[in-house]
């Protein structure tokens, strides 16, 4: 079982560059989300999606775009990277049942110089 | 707005000793509470969750947590830690109607295990 797969695992960007963090899940989960993890701040929700074609903003959406064209994929786009976006990014998915836990990917460590 | 506080940033415990990690939450309605563990370089893994019913919840890896509404707490415990329990632990609270959809996480507690 692959679960939630994130690519790449590491990325270094220069300020102003754009890139897409990939997230794919093979569990047919309707709900998918992106979090960023910063020291001492836990995980903060960036964007989430409750199904294909439906996305919404989380706690810290500025500077990030998402789309959900398929159930399996939920890419996160940085349009113009800034040093403040240096972080570890986690994608997570779950079934829509209320008791279903989040399944996390292994993360992408992004450094913006 | 919901919030979660984990007062201890680091805890060092000897192998075989007991462990308790504190979690306090703020939420206006019935909270849905979770504990996750993160090993180095890994994503988060669910240890246990509380939605309703018995306030003492058993999880994986020998962990348990107790929900105390009067204290707005959901502390995690393990009677005897193993070296493999060294990790970072996150408490999280979810909104009642979409528990798990919008989780708010605490800042985490890093557990170090001494031999």
């Amino acid at each position: 079982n692959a679960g939630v797969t994130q690519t790449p695992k590491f990325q270094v960007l220069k300020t102003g560059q754009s890139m897409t963090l990939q997230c794919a899940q093979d569990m047919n989960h309707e709900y998918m989300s992106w979090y960023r993890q910063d020291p001492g701040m836990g995980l903060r929700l960036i964007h989430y999606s409750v199904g294909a074609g439906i996305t919404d903003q989380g706690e810290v959406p500025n500077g990030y775009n998402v789309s959900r064209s398929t159930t399996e994929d939920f890419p996160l786009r940085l349009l113009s990277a800034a040093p403040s976006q240096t972080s570890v990014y986690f994608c997570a998915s779950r079934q829509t049942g209320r008791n279903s836990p989040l399944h996390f990917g292994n993360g992408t460590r992004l450094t913006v110089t | 707005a919901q919030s979660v506080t984990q007062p201890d940033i680091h805890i060092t415990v000897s192998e075989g000793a007991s462990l308790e990690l504190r979690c306090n939450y703020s939420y206006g309605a019935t909270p849905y509470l979770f504990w996750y563990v993160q090993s180095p370089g890994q994503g988060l893994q669910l240890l246990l969750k509380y939605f309703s019913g018995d306030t003492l919840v058993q999880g994986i890896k020998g962990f348990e947590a107790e929900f105390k509404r009067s204290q707005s707490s959901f502390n995690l415990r393990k009677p005897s830690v193993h070296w493999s329990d060294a990790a970072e632990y996150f408490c999280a609270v979810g909104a009642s109607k979409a528990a798990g959809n919008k989780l708010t996480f605490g800042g985490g507690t890093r557990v170090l295990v001494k031999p």
Side-chain angles (χ1 to χ4, degrees):
Chain A
N1 290 337
V4 179
T5 302
Q6 291 183 237
T7 56
K9 292 186 178 180
F10 302 94
Q11 183 70 51
V12 178
L13 292 178
K14 295 183 187 297
T15 298
Q17 286 185 315
S18 63
M19 80 157 296
T20 299
L21 280 62
Q22 301 293 341
C23 176
Q25 53 91 9
D26 61 357
M27 298 172 283
N28 202 32
H29 289 170
E30 292 192 6
Y31 174 82
M32 296 185 74
S33 56
W34 277 101
Y35 288 85
R36 59 176 290 173
Q37 182 181 27
D38 301 292
M41 302 186 74
L43 281 78
R44 292 180 291 168
L45 182 64
I46 304 171
H47 285 286
Y48 67 99
S49 167
V50 298
I54 306 169
T55 63
D56 205 347
Q57 295 181 348
E59 184 183 354
V60 288
N62 293 341
Y64 307 95
N65 277 0
V66 292
S67 60
R68 185 90 180 273
S69 56
T70 67
T71 300
E72 294 78 19
D73 300 299
F74 190 45
L76 179 72
R77 297 184 188 85
L78 283 70
L79 303 177
S80 178
S84 61
Q85 294 179 303
T86 294
S87 186
V88 181
Y89 292 85
F90 287 97
C91 179
S93 72
R94 65 183 284 273
Q95 295 176 335
T96 53
R98 196 169 59 184
N99 293 337
S100 299
L102 279 171
H103 295 259
F104 285 84
N106 285 339
T108 295
R109 183 175 294 276
L110 175 68
T111 302
V112 183
T113 60
Chain B
Q2 59 207 47
S3 66
V4 178
T5 301
Q6 294 179 244
D8 304 304
I9 297 175
H10 293 102
I11 286 182
T12 300
V13 61
S14 297
E15 191 169 15
S18 64
L19 174 68
E20 181 167 13
L21 304 182
R22 295 184 290 165
C23 172
N24 295 99
Y25 67 89
S26 173
Y27 186 64
T30 301
Y32 292 77
L33 297 159
F34 306 80
W35 274 100
Y36 284 85
V37 60
Q38 183 182 30
S39 298
Q42 302 295 314
L44 280 71
Q45 179 185 20
L46 180 69
L47 282 176
L48 47 80
K49 60 189 178 187
Y50 171 78
F51 289 156
S52 64
D54 193 345
T55 57
L56 185 63
V57 181
Q58 302 298 320
I60 63 171
K61 304 186 179 187
F63 284 92
E64 66 178 24
E66 186 171 13
F67 170 60
K68 293 186 177 180
R69 184 186 298 275
S70 61
Q71 299 178 16
S72 297
S73 70
F74 189 56
N75 294 350
L76 181 72
R77 299 193 293 256
K78 185 168 184 177
S80 177
V81 299
H82 186 263
W83 64 266
S84 60
D85 294 322
E88 190 153 19
Y89 293 80
F90 292 93
C91 181
V93 61
S96 60
K97 288 192 174 181
N101 273 8
K102 284 191 177 183
L103 286 188
T104 298
F105 285 83
T109 298
R110 184 170 297 279
V111 173
L112 305 175
V113 180
K114 294 190 301 184

